[in-house]
Amino acid sequence: LDALTKTPGLVMDWISIKEQLPNLCENVLCLGFDNQIFIGYLDKISMSFYWYSTEMDHIECLKEYEPITYWMPLPKPPEELQ
């Protein structure tokens, strides 16, 4: 993440969920109260944040476990992969 935030020309600023929510069902970086960073999305039905658990092989609801305070869009993949 440090390399991404220091890449010239790449703007990556955290956005407060009090100011703006991400697009529904779009994967974004999520920051919780304990400064833990997750890749997750805002569900269009429940309006809750969900994240992808690498430890349990299923999706967990962040609303219950780690309240989200900030988010930011994921960087775009390299041009040769688009």
Side-chain angles (χ1 to χ4, degrees), residues 32 38 59 65 69:
F38 307 92
I59 297 174
Y65 301 106
T69 53

Side-chain angles (χ1 to χ4, degrees), residues 38-54:
F38 307 92
I39 295 177
Y41 66 93
L42 182 62
D43 183 66
K44 65 182 174 181
I45 296 172
S46 67
M47 292 303 289
S48 297
F49 279 95
Y50 287 81
W51 63 286
Y52 300 98
S53 172
T54 57

Side-chain angles (χ1 to χ4, degrees), residues 3-68:
L4 289 175
T5 59
K6 294 176 183 170
T7 302
L10 182 63
V11 177
M12 295 190 68
D13 292 324
W14 290 106
I15 301 165
S16 170
I17 62 164
K18 293 177 181 178
E19 294 175 20
Q20 179 184 350
L21 291 173
N23 293 332
L24 296 174
C25 300
E26 178 182 346
N27 287 334
V28 296
L29 289 178
C30 301
L31 181 68
F33 282 121
D34 293 333
N35 292 329
Q36 293 195 19
I37 297 173
F38 307 92
I39 295 177
Y41 66 93
L42 182 62
D43 183 66
K44 65 182 174 181
I45 296 172
S46 67
M47 292 303 289
S48 297
F49 279 95
Y50 287 81
W51 63 286
Y52 300 98
S53 172
T54 57
E55 297 174 0
M56 299 180 207
D57 274 346
H58 63 281
I59 297 174
E60 296 287 337
C61 177
L62 275 180
K63 187 176 179 184
E64 294 176 16
Y65 301 106
E66 182 72 27
I68 296 301

